[in-house]
Amino acid sequence: MSTTTRDEILAGEQRAVDHAYDCYTTKLAELTGTSAAAASASGKDGIANRADAEARAEAYGGLGDEALVFARVDAPEDPGGEPRPWYIGRRGVKDSLNDPVVVLWTSPLAKTWIETRPEEPGEVVLRRQLRCVQRVVESYFDEISALPKAAPPPPAVPPPAPVAVPEPRQDADDSAAQEADAAPAPEPTPSPAPESTPVPTPPPPPVTSYGGSGARRSSRTTSCCGSSSGRAVAGCGTSSRPSAATRWSW
């Protein structure tokens, strides 16, 4: 089901207000013409008629800056009838067929509609306030409404949401390599301390002896002065006498 937008409602109300002003201008011109025709009459009656016509024309046209129409009511003309739109304003206006276009707000019918409470609307289907600057309809407000509401203006289109970029999938080899890199490195196993190599003990000095082979062998004791003979050296402090262990054998 199509819904009428607010701009379409404003456009329809503007057409109705324009028609009301056209009929009002025509009526005002008629009153002014009647005043001019009465001014040409002579005698006391003519003067009185002219004054009355001028007064009526001035009263009818004395809107100033006020708007002609300020409300709309949808209600039946007779009880139980079909509702129709009625426009309420500061002047009663009829068209060329003498059908009401604007109902004067002080008339009994208009006062009944104005005093209708929203919680008990009765046969009033719609009561709409019109905010007009003279003959321009700028906005409206529905106090009573059994009609489908106007669709609100479309909301502003939000900017598109950023598209999430999927992360690249990793191969099984890459995953295993990353897990291996992330795993802590094993602690090194301490190697056993090397055993100390025993220092070889030097062999005792050889002892030279003469065996029974008849060969001449000798064993000399070296003194601190470096002499290899058995003679005493002055200042050496070493006796030239062979030790008991030394033997000379021939």
Side-chain angles (χ1 to χ4, degrees):
M1 181 178 64
S2 62
T3 305
T4 306
T5 64
R6 188 175 181 86
D7 291 340
E8 292 174 344
I9 292 177
L10 286 173
E13 300 296 0
Q14 184 64 62
R15 288 191 295 269
V17 171
D18 288 341
H19 177 62
Y21 266 93
D22 292 342
C23 296
Y24 169 76
T25 303
T26 301
K27 179 64 176 179
L28 184 60
E30 291 176 359
L31 293 175
T32 305
T34 302
S35 176
S40 62
S42 58
K44 295 181 180 180
D45 293 338
I47 296 175
N49 291 336
R50 183 183 64 183
D52 183 60
E54 290 177 352
R56 285 187 290 110
E58 183 179 359
Y60 192 76
L63 286 176
D65 294 335
E66 293 181 326
L68 173 63
V69 182
F70 59 80
R72 168 187 168 178
V73 173
D74 287 13
E77 183 174 3
D78 298 323
E82 290 293 327
R84 51 154 292 185
W86 305 83
Y87 287 88
I88 302 173
R90 293 178 172 87
R91 300 290 186 271
V93 180
K94 294 182 178 181
D95 60 11
S96 58
L97 300 177
N98 205 30
D99 291 331
V101 177
V102 181
V103 179
L104 185 63
W105 70 277
T106 56
S107 65
L109 192 57
K111 293 177 66 175
T112 300
W113 294 331
I114 294 173
E115 294 173 359
T116 299
R117 295 183 298 176
E119 58 271 18
E120 296 180 1
E123 293 185 326
V124 175
V125 178
L126 174 69
R127 187 172 70 197
R128 173 176 294 164
Q129 291 185 6
L130 298 177
R131 185 178 181 275
C132 301
V133 178
Q134 293 186 0
R135 64 184 299 163
V136 178
V137 182
E138 291 190 345
S139 63
Y140 69 92
F141 173 73
D142 291 344
E143 298 176 323
I144 300 174
S145 178
L147 302 177
K149 295 183 179 180
V157 179
V163 179
V165 179
E167 297 182 358
R169 298 183 60 184
Q170 298 178 350
D171 296 337
D173 296 341
D174 295 341
S175 301
Q178 290 185 359
E179 293 179 358
D181 294 340
E187 297 182 359
T189 304
S191 60
E195 297 180 358
S196 59
T197 305
V199 179
T201 304
V207 178
T208 306
S209 62
Y210 292 93
S213 60
R216 184 181 178 181
R217 300 179 181 180
S218 65
S219 173
R220 300 178 182 179
T221 302
T222 305
S223 68
C224 62
C225 296
S227 176
S228 61
S229 66
R231 299 177 182 179
V233 181
C236 180
T238 304
S239 175
S240 60
R241 186 178 180 180
S243 65
T246 304
R247 298 288 186 269
W248 297 88
S249 174
W250 299 98

Short mmCIF file of all heavy atoms in Angstrom, two decimals, residues 60-123:
data_model
loop_
_atom_site.label_atom_id
_atom_site.label_comp_id
_atom_site.label_asym_id
_atom_site.label_seq_id
_atom_site.Cartn_x
_atom_site.Cartn_y
_atom_site.Cartn_z
N TYR A 60 -14.09 42.94 4.97
CA TYR A 60 -13.77 41.67 4.32
C TYR A 60 -12.32 41.60 3.85
O TYR A 60 -11.70 40.55 3.86
CB TYR A 60 -14.71 41.46 3.12
CG TYR A 60 -14.67 40.06 2.55
CD1 TYR A 60 -15.32 39.01 3.19
CD2 TYR A 60 -14.01 39.80 1.35
CE1 TYR A 60 -15.30 37.72 2.67
CE2 TYR A 60 -13.98 38.52 0.81
CZ TYR A 60 -14.62 37.48 1.48
OH TYR A 60 -14.59 36.22 0.96
N GLY A 61 -11.80 42.75 3.46
CA GLY A 61 -10.43 42.76 2.95
C GLY A 61 -9.40 43.16 3.96
O GLY A 61 -8.21 43.30 3.61
N GLY A 62 -9.79 43.33 5.20
CA GLY A 62 -8.82 43.81 6.18
C GLY A 62 -8.04 42.69 6.86
O GLY A 62 -7.97 42.61 8.09
N LEU A 63 -7.43 41.81 6.09
CA LEU A 63 -6.64 40.73 6.68
C LEU A 63 -5.26 41.21 7.12
O LEU A 63 -4.67 40.68 8.07
CB LEU A 63 -6.49 39.58 5.68
CG LEU A 63 -7.71 38.71 5.44
CD1 LEU A 63 -7.43 37.68 4.34
CD2 LEU A 63 -8.12 37.99 6.72
N GLY A 64 -4.72 42.18 6.42
CA GLY A 64 -3.37 42.62 6.73
C GLY A 64 -2.37 41.51 6.42
O GLY A 64 -2.35 40.93 5.34
N ASP A 65 -1.53 41.19 7.42
CA ASP A 65 -0.53 40.12 7.26
C ASP A 65 -1.02 38.77 7.73
O ASP A 65 -0.27 37.79 7.70
CB ASP A 65 0.75 40.48 8.03
CG ASP A 65 1.45 41.71 7.43
OD1 ASP A 65 1.25 41.95 6.22
OD2 ASP A 65 2.18 42.39 8.17
N GLU A 66 -2.27 38.69 8.20
CA GLU A 66 -2.80 37.42 8.70
C GLU A 66 -3.16 36.49 7.54
O GLU A 66 -3.56 36.95 6.46
CB GLU A 66 -4.03 37.67 9.57
CG GLU A 66 -3.72 38.40 10.86
CD GLU A 66 -4.97 38.60 11.70
OE1 GLU A 66 -6.05 38.79 11.12
OE2 GLU A 66 -4.86 38.53 12.93
N ALA A 67 -3.03 35.20 7.79
CA ALA A 67 -3.37 34.21 6.77
C ALA A 67 -4.88 34.03 6.71
O ALA A 67 -5.58 34.10 7.72
CB ALA A 67 -2.68 32.89 7.07
N LEU A 68 -5.38 33.78 5.50
CA LEU A 68 -6.81 33.55 5.33
C LEU A 68 -7.23 32.22 5.93
O LEU A 68 -8.28 32.12 6.58
CB LEU A 68 -7.16 33.58 3.83
CG LEU A 68 -8.58 33.20 3.45
CD1 LEU A 68 -9.59 34.18 4.05
CD2 LEU A 68 -8.74 33.12 1.94
N VAL A 69 -6.45 31.16 5.74
CA VAL A 69 -6.79 29.81 6.19
C VAL A 69 -5.81 29.39 7.28
O VAL A 69 -4.60 29.63 7.17
CB VAL A 69 -6.73 28.81 5.01
CG1 VAL A 69 -7.13 27.42 5.47
CG2 VAL A 69 -7.63 29.28 3.87
N PHE A 70 -6.31 28.72 8.33
CA PHE A 70 -5.41 28.24 9.39
C PHE A 70 -5.72 26.82 9.86
O PHE A 70 -5.03 26.30 10.73
CB PHE A 70 -5.44 29.18 10.61
CG PHE A 70 -6.79 29.36 11.24
CD1 PHE A 70 -7.33 28.41 12.11
CD2 PHE A 70 -7.55 30.49 10.96
CE1 PHE A 70 -8.56 28.58 12.70
CE2 PHE A 70 -8.80 30.66 11.55
CZ PHE A 70 -9.30 29.71 12.42
N ALA A 71 -6.75 26.16 9.28
CA ALA A 71 -7.07 24.80 9.71
C ALA A 71 -7.86 24.09 8.63
O ALA A 71 -8.46 24.70 7.75
CB ALA A 71 -7.85 24.80 11.03
N ARG A 72 -7.84 22.74 8.74
CA ARG A 72 -8.63 21.88 7.88
C ARG A 72 -9.29 20.82 8.75
O ARG A 72 -8.66 20.26 9.66
CB ARG A 72 -7.77 21.20 6.82
CG ARG A 72 -8.47 20.08 6.07
CD ARG A 72 -7.54 19.33 5.15
NE ARG A 72 -8.17 18.10 4.66
CZ ARG A 72 -7.59 17.26 3.79
NH1 ARG A 72 -6.39 17.52 3.30
NH2 ARG A 72 -8.23 16.16 3.41
N VAL A 73 -10.55 20.53 8.45
CA VAL A 73 -11.30 19.49 9.17
C VAL A 73 -11.98 18.60 8.15
O VAL A 73 -12.64 19.09 7.22
CB VAL A 73 -12.34 20.10 10.13
CG1 VAL A 73 -13.22 19.00 10.73
CG2 VAL A 73 -11.67 20.90 11.23
N ASP A 74 -11.81 17.29 8.32
CA ASP A 74 -12.54 16.31 7.50
C ASP A 74 -13.67 15.74 8.35
O ASP A 74 -13.43 15.04 9.35
CB ASP A 74 -11.60 15.19 7.05
CG ASP A 74 -10.63 15.65 5.97
OD1 ASP A 74 -10.53 16.88 5.76
OD2 ASP A 74 -9.95 14.81 5.36
N ALA A 75 -14.90 16.06 7.95
CA ALA A 75 -16.09 15.63 8.70
C ALA A 75 -17.29 15.68 7.75
O ALA A 75 -17.26 16.39 6.73
CB ALA A 75 -16.33 16.54 9.91
N PRO A 76 -18.32 14.92 8.06
CA PRO A 76 -19.52 14.95 7.19
C PRO A 76 -20.29 16.26 7.37
O PRO A 76 -20.30 16.84 8.46
CB PRO A 76 -20.33 13.74 7.66
CG PRO A 76 -19.90 13.51 9.06
CD PRO A 76 -18.46 13.90 9.14
N GLU A 77 -20.94 16.68 6.29
CA GLU A 77 -21.76 17.89 6.39
C GLU A 77 -23.01 17.62 7.21
O GLU A 77 -23.44 18.48 8.00
CB GLU A 77 -22.12 18.38 5.00
CG GLU A 77 -22.90 19.69 4.97
CD GLU A 77 -23.12 20.21 3.57
OE1 GLU A 77 -22.72 19.52 2.60
OE2 GLU A 77 -23.70 21.31 3.42
N ASP A 78 -23.58 16.45 7.03
CA ASP A 78 -24.75 16.03 7.81
C ASP A 78 -24.37 14.83 8.65
O ASP A 78 -23.50 14.03 8.25
CB ASP A 78 -25.92 15.67 6.89
CG ASP A 78 -26.39 16.86 6.04
OD1 ASP A 78 -26.37 17.99 6.58
OD2 ASP A 78 -26.71 16.66 4.85
N PRO A 79 -24.96 14.63 9.81
CA PRO A 79 -24.62 13.48 10.65
C PRO A 79 -24.83 12.17 9.90
O PRO A 79 -25.86 11.95 9.24
CB PRO A 79 -25.59 13.61 11.83
CG PRO A 79 -25.92 15.07 11.88
CD PRO A 79 -25.93 15.52 10.46
N GLY A 80 -23.85 11.30 9.98
CA GLY A 80 -23.92 10.01 9.32
C GLY A 80 -23.51 10.03 7.87
O GLY A 80 -23.49 8.98 7.22
N GLY A 81 -23.16 11.22 7.32
CA GLY A 81 -22.78 11.29 5.92
C GLY A 81 -21.29 11.01 5.72
O GLY A 81 -20.54 10.72 6.65
N GLU A 82 -20.88 11.10 4.49
CA GLU A 82 -19.49 10.88 4.15
C GLU A 82 -18.67 12.12 4.53
O GLU A 82 -19.08 13.25 4.25
CB GLU A 82 -19.34 10.60 2.65
CG GLU A 82 -19.87 9.25 2.22
CD GLU A 82 -19.05 8.10 2.82
OE1 GLU A 82 -17.82 8.27 3.00
OE2 GLU A 82 -19.63 7.04 3.08
N PRO A 83 -17.50 11.93 5.15
CA PRO A 83 -16.68 13.10 5.49
C PRO A 83 -16.09 13.74 4.25
O PRO A 83 -15.79 13.07 3.25
CB PRO A 83 -15.60 12.51 6.40
CG PRO A 83 -15.53 11.06 6.03
CD PRO A 83 -16.91 10.66 5.62
N ARG A 84 -15.91 15.05 4.31
CA ARG A 84 -15.31 15.81 3.23
C ARG A 84 -14.41 16.86 3.88
O ARG A 84 -14.58 17.23 5.05
CB ARG A 84 -16.34 16.47 2.35
CG ARG A 84 -17.39 17.27 3.09
CD ARG A 84 -17.99 18.37 2.26
NE ARG A 84 -17.04 19.44 1.96
CZ ARG A 84 -17.37 20.56 1.32
NH1 ARG A 84 -18.62 20.74 0.89
NH2 ARG A 84 -16.48 21.49 1.08
N PRO A 85 -13.44 17.40 3.14
CA PRO A 85 -12.57 18.41 3.74
C PRO A 85 -13.26 19.78 3.82
O PRO A 85 -13.93 20.22 2.88
CB PRO A 85 -11.35 18.44 2.79
CG PRO A 85 -11.87 17.95 1.48
CD PRO A 85 -12.96 16.97 1.81
N TRP A 86 -13.06 20.44 4.97
CA TRP A 86 -13.52 21.80 5.20
C TRP A 86 -12.32 22.62 5.66
O TRP A 86 -11.55 22.19 6.52
CB TRP A 86 -14.60 21.87 6.27
CG TRP A 86 -15.81 21.01 6.04
CD1 TRP A 86 -15.94 19.69 6.32
CD2 TRP A 86 -17.03 21.41 5.48
NE1 TRP A 86 -17.17 19.23 5.98
CE2 TRP A 86 -17.89 20.28 5.46
CE3 TRP A 86 -17.55 22.63 4.98
CZ2 TRP A 86 -19.18 20.31 4.97
CZ3 TRP A 86 -18.86 22.66 4.51
CH2 TRP A 86 -19.65 21.51 4.49
N TYR A 87 -12.21 23.83 5.11
CA TYR A 87 -11.13 24.71 5.52
C TYR A 87 -11.70 25.85 6.35
O TYR A 87 -12.71 26.46 5.99
CB TYR A 87 -10.37 25.26 4.30
CG TYR A 87 -9.51 24.19 3.66
CD1 TYR A 87 -10.03 23.36 2.68
CD2 TYR A 87 -8.19 24.00 4.06
CE1 TYR A 87 -9.26 22.36 2.11
CE2 TYR A 87 -7.41 23.00 3.48
CZ TYR A 87 -7.95 22.18 2.52
OH TYR A 87 -7.18 21.19 1.95
N ILE A 88 -11.06 26.09 7.48
CA ILE A 88 -11.53 27.09 8.43
C ILE A 88 -10.59 28.29 8.36
O ILE A 88 -9.36 28.13 8.33
CB ILE A 88 -11.58 26.52 9.85
CG1 ILE A 88 -12.48 25.28 9.88
CG2 ILE A 88 -12.07 27.55 10.85
CD1 ILE A 88 -12.47 24.55 11.20
N GLY A 89 -11.17 29.49 8.34
CA GLY A 89 -10.34 30.68 8.24
C GLY A 89 -10.98 31.91 8.83
O GLY A 89 -12.02 31.85 9.50
N ARG A 90 -10.36 33.04 8.55
CA ARG A 90 -10.77 34.32 9.14
C ARG A 90 -11.85 35.02 8.31
O ARG A 90 -12.39 36.04 8.74
CB ARG A 90 -9.54 35.22 9.28
CG ARG A 90 -8.54 34.68 10.31
CD ARG A 90 -7.30 35.57 10.41
NE ARG A 90 -6.45 35.14 11.51
CZ ARG A 90 -5.51 34.20 11.42
NH1 ARG A 90 -5.32 33.59 10.25
NH2 ARG A 90 -4.80 33.87 12.47
N ARG A 91 -12.11 34.47 7.15
CA ARG A 91 -13.19 35.01 6.32
C ARG A 91 -13.96 33.84 5.70
O ARG A 91 -13.36 32.81 5.36
CB ARG A 91 -12.66 35.90 5.18
CG ARG A 91 -11.86 37.11 5.64
CD ARG A 91 -12.76 38.14 6.31
NE ARG A 91 -12.01 39.36 6.61
CZ ARG A 91 -11.35 39.56 7.75
NH1 ARG A 91 -11.34 38.60 8.69
NH2 ARG A 91 -10.74 40.71 7.97
N GLY A 92 -15.28 34.00 5.57
CA GLY A 92 -16.08 33.02 4.86
C GLY A 92 -15.94 33.23 3.36
O GLY A 92 -16.13 34.35 2.87
N VAL A 93 -15.63 32.17 2.63
CA VAL A 93 -15.40 32.30 1.19
C VAL A 93 -16.22 31.23 0.48
O VAL A 93 -16.28 30.08 0.93
CB VAL A 93 -13.90 32.14 0.84
CG1 VAL A 93 -13.69 32.28 -0.67
CG2 VAL A 93 -13.05 33.16 1.60
N LYS A 94 -16.85 31.64 -0.63
CA LYS A 94 -17.59 30.70 -1.49
C LYS A 94 -17.09 30.82 -2.91
O LYS A 94 -16.53 31.85 -3.30
CB LYS A 94 -19.09 30.97 -1.43
CG LYS A 94 -19.70 30.71 -0.06
CD LYS A 94 -21.21 30.94 -0.09
CE LYS A 94 -21.83 30.63 1.26
NZ LYS A 94 -23.32 30.84 1.26
N ASP A 95 -17.30 29.75 -3.66
CA ASP A 95 -16.86 29.77 -5.05
C ASP A 95 -17.98 30.31 -5.94
O ASP A 95 -19.01 30.79 -5.46
CB ASP A 95 -16.40 28.39 -5.49
CG ASP A 95 -17.51 27.34 -5.37
OD1 ASP A 95 -18.69 27.72 -5.13
OD2 ASP A 95 -17.21 26.14 -5.49
N SER A 96 -17.81 30.19 -7.26
CA SER A 96 -18.79 30.73 -8.20
C SER A 96 -20.12 29.98 -8.15
O SER A 96 -21.15 30.51 -8.57
CB SER A 96 -18.23 30.69 -9.62
OG SER A 96 -17.89 29.35 -9.99
N LEU A 97 -20.09 28.75 -7.64
CA LEU A 97 -21.33 27.97 -7.51
C LEU A 97 -21.97 28.14 -6.15
O LEU A 97 -22.93 27.42 -5.82
CB LEU A 97 -21.03 26.49 -7.76
CG LEU A 97 -20.46 26.14 -9.14
CD1 LEU A 97 -20.15 24.65 -9.22
CD2 LEU A 97 -21.41 26.58 -10.25
N ASN A 98 -21.44 29.07 -5.38
CA ASN A 98 -21.94 29.37 -4.04
C ASN A 98 -21.71 28.22 -3.05
O ASN A 98 -22.43 28.11 -2.06
CB ASN A 98 -23.43 29.74 -4.09
CG ASN A 98 -23.84 30.62 -2.91
OD1 ASN A 98 -23.03 31.39 -2.40
ND2 ASN A 98 -25.10 30.51 -2.49
N ASP A 99 -20.74 27.37 -3.36
CA ASP A 99 -20.36 26.31 -2.42
C ASP A 99 -19.29 26.84 -1.47
O ASP A 99 -18.39 27.59 -1.88
CB ASP A 99 -19.80 25.10 -3.17
CG ASP A 99 -20.88 24.38 -3.98
OD1 ASP A 99 -22.05 24.44 -3.56
OD2 ASP A 99 -20.54 23.76 -5.02
N PRO A 100 -19.34 26.47 -0.21
CA PRO A 100 -18.36 26.99 0.75
C PRO A 100 -16.97 26.48 0.46
O PRO A 100 -16.76 25.29 0.21
CB PRO A 100 -18.89 26.48 2.09
CG PRO A 100 -19.73 25.32 1.77
CD PRO A 100 -20.33 25.57 0.42
N VAL A 101 -16.03 27.40 0.45
CA VAL A 101 -14.62 27.07 0.28
C VAL A 101 -13.88 27.24 1.60
O VAL A 101 -13.04 26.41 1.97
CB VAL A 101 -13.99 27.95 -0.83
CG1 VAL A 101 -12.50 27.65 -0.96
CG2 VAL A 101 -14.69 27.72 -2.15
N VAL A 102 -14.17 28.32 2.32
CA VAL A 102 -13.60 28.57 3.65
C VAL A 102 -14.77 28.88 4.59
O VAL A 102 -15.60 29.75 4.29
CB VAL A 102 -12.60 29.74 3.62
CG1 VAL A 102 -12.01 29.97 5.02
CG2 VAL A 102 -11.47 29.48 2.62
N VAL A 103 -14.78 28.16 5.72
CA VAL A 103 -15.82 28.37 6.73
C VAL A 103 -15.29 29.36 7.75
O VAL A 103 -14.17 29.19 8.27
CB VAL A 103 -16.21 27.04 7.39
CG1 VAL A 103 -17.28 27.26 8.46
CG2 VAL A 103 -16.70 26.05 6.34
N LEU A 104 -16.07 30.38 8.06
CA LEU A 104 -15.66 31.36 9.05
C LEU A 104 -15.54 30.70 10.40
O LEU A 104 -16.41 29.93 10.83
CB LEU A 104 -16.68 32.50 9.09
CG LEU A 104 -16.34 33.68 10.00
CD1 LEU A 104 -15.06 34.37 9.53
CD2 LEU A 104 -17.52 34.67 10.04
N TRP A 105 -14.43 30.96 11.08
CA TRP A 105 -14.12 30.25 12.32
C TRP A 105 -15.12 30.52 13.44
O TRP A 105 -15.24 29.73 14.38
CB TRP A 105 -12.71 30.60 12.78
CG TRP A 105 -12.54 32.02 13.28
CD1 TRP A 105 -12.34 33.13 12.55
CD2 TRP A 105 -12.60 32.41 14.64
NE1 TRP A 105 -12.25 34.24 13.34
CE2 TRP A 105 -12.40 33.82 14.65
CE3 TRP A 105 -12.79 31.77 15.84
CZ2 TRP A 105 -12.41 34.58 15.83
CZ3 TRP A 105 -12.79 32.52 17.02
CH2 TRP A 105 -12.59 33.91 17.00
N THR A 106 -15.91 31.60 13.34
CA THR A 106 -16.90 31.92 14.38
C THR A 106 -18.27 31.29 14.10
O THR A 106 -19.19 31.46 14.91
CB THR A 106 -17.05 33.44 14.50
OG1 THR A 106 -17.41 33.98 13.23
CG2 THR A 106 -15.77 34.09 14.99
N SER A 107 -18.41 30.59 12.98
CA SER A 107 -19.70 29.95 12.67
C SER A 107 -19.93 28.78 13.62
O SER A 107 -18.96 28.19 14.15
CB SER A 107 -19.71 29.47 11.22
OG SER A 107 -18.76 28.44 11.05
N PRO A 108 -21.22 28.42 13.85
CA PRO A 108 -21.50 27.31 14.78
C PRO A 108 -20.84 25.99 14.37
O PRO A 108 -20.35 25.25 15.24
CB PRO A 108 -23.03 27.22 14.76
CG PRO A 108 -23.48 28.59 14.37
CD PRO A 108 -22.43 29.08 13.40
N LEU A 109 -20.84 25.67 13.09
CA LEU A 109 -20.25 24.41 12.64
C LEU A 109 -18.74 24.39 12.88
O LEU A 109 -18.18 23.40 13.36
CB LEU A 109 -20.56 24.20 11.16
CG LEU A 109 -20.27 22.81 10.59
CD1 LEU A 109 -21.03 21.73 11.36
CD2 LEU A 109 -20.61 22.76 9.11
N ALA A 110 -18.07 25.50 12.56
CA ALA A 110 -16.62 25.56 12.77
C ALA A 110 -16.28 25.49 14.25
O ALA A 110 -15.30 24.84 14.65
CB ALA A 110 -16.06 26.83 12.15
N LYS A 111 -17.06 26.12 15.10
CA LYS A 111 -16.79 26.09 16.54
C LYS A 111 -16.95 24.68 17.09
O LYS A 111 -16.20 24.26 17.98
CB LYS A 111 -17.71 27.07 17.26
CG LYS A 111 -17.41 28.53 16.93
CD LYS A 111 -18.40 29.47 17.60
CE LYS A 111 -18.25 29.44 19.11
NZ LYS A 111 -19.13 30.45 19.76
N THR A 112 -17.92 23.93 16.54
CA THR A 112 -18.09 22.54 16.98
C THR A 112 -16.86 21.70 16.64
O THR A 112 -16.38 20.91 17.47
CB THR A 112 -19.33 21.92 16.32
OG1 THR A 112 -20.49 22.70 16.69
CG2 THR A 112 -19.52 20.48 16.76
N TRP A 113 -16.34 21.89 15.47
CA TRP A 113 -15.13 21.13 15.08
C TRP A 113 -13.90 21.55 15.90
O TRP A 113 -13.10 20.71 16.29
CB TRP A 113 -14.85 21.34 13.60
CG TRP A 113 -15.91 20.76 12.71
CD1 TRP A 113 -16.71 19.68 12.97
CD2 TRP A 113 -16.27 21.23 11.42
NE1 TRP A 113 -17.56 19.44 11.93
CE2 TRP A 113 -17.32 20.39 10.94
CE3 TRP A 113 -15.86 22.27 10.59
CZ2 TRP A 113 -17.92 20.55 9.70
CZ3 TRP A 113 -16.44 22.44 9.35
CH2 TRP A 113 -17.47 21.58 8.90
N ILE A 114 -13.78 22.84 16.13
CA ILE A 114 -12.63 23.32 16.88
C ILE A 114 -12.65 22.82 18.32
O ILE A 114 -11.59 22.52 18.92
CB ILE A 114 -12.57 24.86 16.83
CG1 ILE A 114 -12.30 25.34 15.39
CG2 ILE A 114 -11.52 25.41 17.77
CD1 ILE A 114 -12.39 26.84 15.20
N GLU A 115 -13.82 22.71 18.91
CA GLU A 115 -13.93 22.29 20.30
C GLU A 115 -13.91 20.77 20.48
O GLU A 115 -13.97 20.29 21.61
CB GLU A 115 -15.22 22.87 20.90
CG GLU A 115 -15.21 24.40 21.00
CD GLU A 115 -16.56 24.95 21.42
OE1 GLU A 115 -17.49 24.13 21.62
OE2 GLU A 115 -16.68 26.19 21.54
N THR A 116 -13.87 20.02 19.40
CA THR A 116 -13.83 18.56 19.52
C THR A 116 -12.52 18.12 20.16
O THR A 116 -11.43 18.57 19.74
CB THR A 116 -13.96 17.91 18.14
OG1 THR A 116 -15.22 18.29 17.57
CG2 THR A 116 -13.90 16.39 18.24
N ARG A 117 -12.60 17.25 21.16
CA ARG A 117 -11.40 16.77 21.85
C ARG A 117 -10.81 15.57 21.11
O ARG A 117 -11.55 14.73 20.59
CB ARG A 117 -11.73 16.39 23.29
CG ARG A 117 -12.17 17.58 24.15
CD ARG A 117 -12.42 17.16 25.58
NE ARG A 117 -13.50 16.18 25.66
CZ ARG A 117 -13.87 15.59 26.80
NH1 ARG A 117 -13.24 15.86 27.93
NH2 ARG A 117 -14.87 14.72 26.79
N PRO A 118 -9.52 15.46 21.08
CA PRO A 118 -8.90 14.34 20.37
C PRO A 118 -9.27 12.97 20.93
O PRO A 118 -9.37 12.00 20.16
CB PRO A 118 -7.39 14.60 20.53
CG PRO A 118 -7.29 16.07 20.75
CD PRO A 118 -8.51 16.44 21.53
N GLU A 119 -9.51 12.88 22.25
CA GLU A 119 -9.87 11.58 22.81
C GLU A 119 -11.31 11.19 22.50
O GLU A 119 -11.69 10.02 22.62
CB GLU A 119 -9.65 11.57 24.33
CG GLU A 119 -10.41 12.62 25.10
CD GLU A 119 -9.65 13.92 25.22
OE1 GLU A 119 -8.69 14.12 24.44
OE2 GLU A 119 -10.01 14.73 26.09
N GLU A 120 -12.14 12.15 22.07
CA GLU A 120 -13.53 11.88 21.66
C GLU A 120 -13.78 12.61 20.34
O GLU A 120 -14.48 13.62 20.29
CB GLU A 120 -14.51 12.33 22.73
CG GLU A 120 -14.37 11.56 24.04
CD GLU A 120 -15.36 12.04 25.08
OE1 GLU A 120 -16.15 12.96 24.76
OE2 GLU A 120 -15.35 11.51 26.20
N PRO A 121 -13.23 12.12 19.24
CA PRO A 121 -13.34 12.87 17.98
C PRO A 121 -14.72 12.85 17.35
O PRO A 121 -15.03 13.71 16.51
CB PRO A 121 -12.32 12.17 17.07
CG PRO A 121 -12.25 10.78 17.61
CD PRO A 121 -12.44 10.90 19.09
N GLY A 122 -15.55 11.89 17.71
CA GLY A 122 -16.88 11.82 17.10
C GLY A 122 -16.77 11.51 15.61
O GLY A 122 -16.11 10.54 15.21
N GLU A 123 -17.40 12.34 14.79
CA GLU A 123 -17.36 12.13 13.35
C GLU A 123 -16.21 12.87 12.66
O GLU A 123 -16.09 12.83 11.44
CB GLU A 123 -18.69 12.57 12.73
CG GLU A 123 -19.86 11.70 13.14
CD GLU A 123 -21.13 12.08 12.40
OE1 GLU A 123 -21.33 13.28 12.12
OE2 GLU A 123 -21.93 11.16 12.07
#
